[in-house]
Structure formats: C-alpha cells, structure tokens
Amino acid sequence: GVDGYWCLGDLAAIGYDPVGVLERVTSLPNACFIRGNTDRYLVTGELPWIPLDEAIEDPASARVFVQIARSFSWTMGAVTSAGWLPWFRDLPLEQRFTLPDGSRVLLVHAAPGADDGRGIEINTSDEKLFELVCDSDADLILVGHTHLPFERKAGSVRVVNPGSVSNPFPPDLRAVYAVLEADDHSCSVHHRRVEYDREA
C-alpha cells in the first residue's frame, strides 16, 4: 500500500542469493536506491574493516578477515556474472526529494556526503550530530549504515534511521523498516517490525 520505496544502501553483501535480492528490490514500484559502503566495496574490492597487518598478527582477526574476504569475493562474482556490477557502480551517494508539505528530504547511507565511517549513530553526541547535518539543506535526513532504528533532532533537522530489513541487530531480530506518511500539511515516520524466517 505504499507509493514507493527508498533503499538506503548495503543491498547485497551478505546472504546466499544477492542476485535474487537485487531482482526483487529493483522490481518494486517507484524504488529509489543509494550506495552503501558495502555496495562500493563490491565495485572497488575494498575490505576496510580489519587492516591486513592487524589480521596477520591476531588469529581471531585473521579468521574474520578471511570470512569477510570470501563473502565479498563470492558476492562480487555472483553479481558480476549476472551483469549487476555496472548497476552498483552507478548508484548515487545520496538522493533528495521534496514532500508535499515542502519538507526537504535527504537520503544518505552513513551521513551527509559519506557512505562509510562512523556516520550518524544512535549515540552520536548532540554536538557532533549538529556538525554532521547543519549544512545538509534538509529538514529530514534518512540514514542507514548502523542497522539500528532511531530518531533524533539536531536543531530543525530530523534524523531517522529506519533500521535493517535483512540484518537487524540483536536482541530483536525481526526485520525493521519505517513508513513515511506525508501530505500537504505534515509528515510522520512510523517504525515497523516484522517476523521472518531467519533460518531459511
């Protein structure tokens, strides 16, 4: 029953069927996508979470590094062989919209102008949050990256993280997303959670 879908990045890096996911989300009506850090990694081959030198010196880090490298290599092969790599390459860093009431919306992954790094987190200080959004030319910023749903205010700017549909953080492992309702007078955001078969 929604008019469109805004997907805030990290579209296919984890999971056994990245091509199936891409086919499904891109078939949604009026779907809009931006680039997340993992989408960029698929194009560039970057694996910046654990420096290789650190991984070599610590067996536990080395194991994680190898798992991440294997996962991204497999996913990169899957999306490349299915012809999706150019689609990832063309994803924009951000998108802008104007709602019927005139509210300016900015879609980003980590923070305005960034798809990686610490970005905007649930516990970002008020001062840092204001610094990150004060020059955004937006009234509402929708942000992903941390997978944790939250809503914050920085001056007149409202910042909302809708969470993650396929990779939510414990303890609540239900899919989490948000519905934006907008009319000529106002806009509101409602967080939703839905059970799904994680084992499957």
Side-chain angles (χ1 to χ4, degrees), residues 124-175:
T124 298
S125 72
D126 291 342
E127 295 78 16
K128 181 65 176 175
L129 181 61
F130 184 78
E131 179 186 317
L132 289 168
V133 305
C134 67
D135 294 326
S136 64
D137 291 323
D139 304 302
L140 172 63
I141 298 175
L142 300 177
V143 61
H145 196 48
T146 66
H147 301 218
L148 293 171
F150 65 80
E151 188 165 336
R152 302 271 310 271
K153 284 279 279 188
S156 63
V157 181
R158 189 171 164 197
V159 180
V160 175
N161 188 320
S164 176
V165 171
S166 65
N167 195 19
F169 275 101
D172 191 341
L173 296 178
R174 293 177 295 167

Side-chain angles (χ1 to χ4, degrees), residues 3-14:
D3 298 312
Y5 299 83
W6 293 344
C7 301
L8 303 179
D10 288 355
L11 299 161
I14 299 172

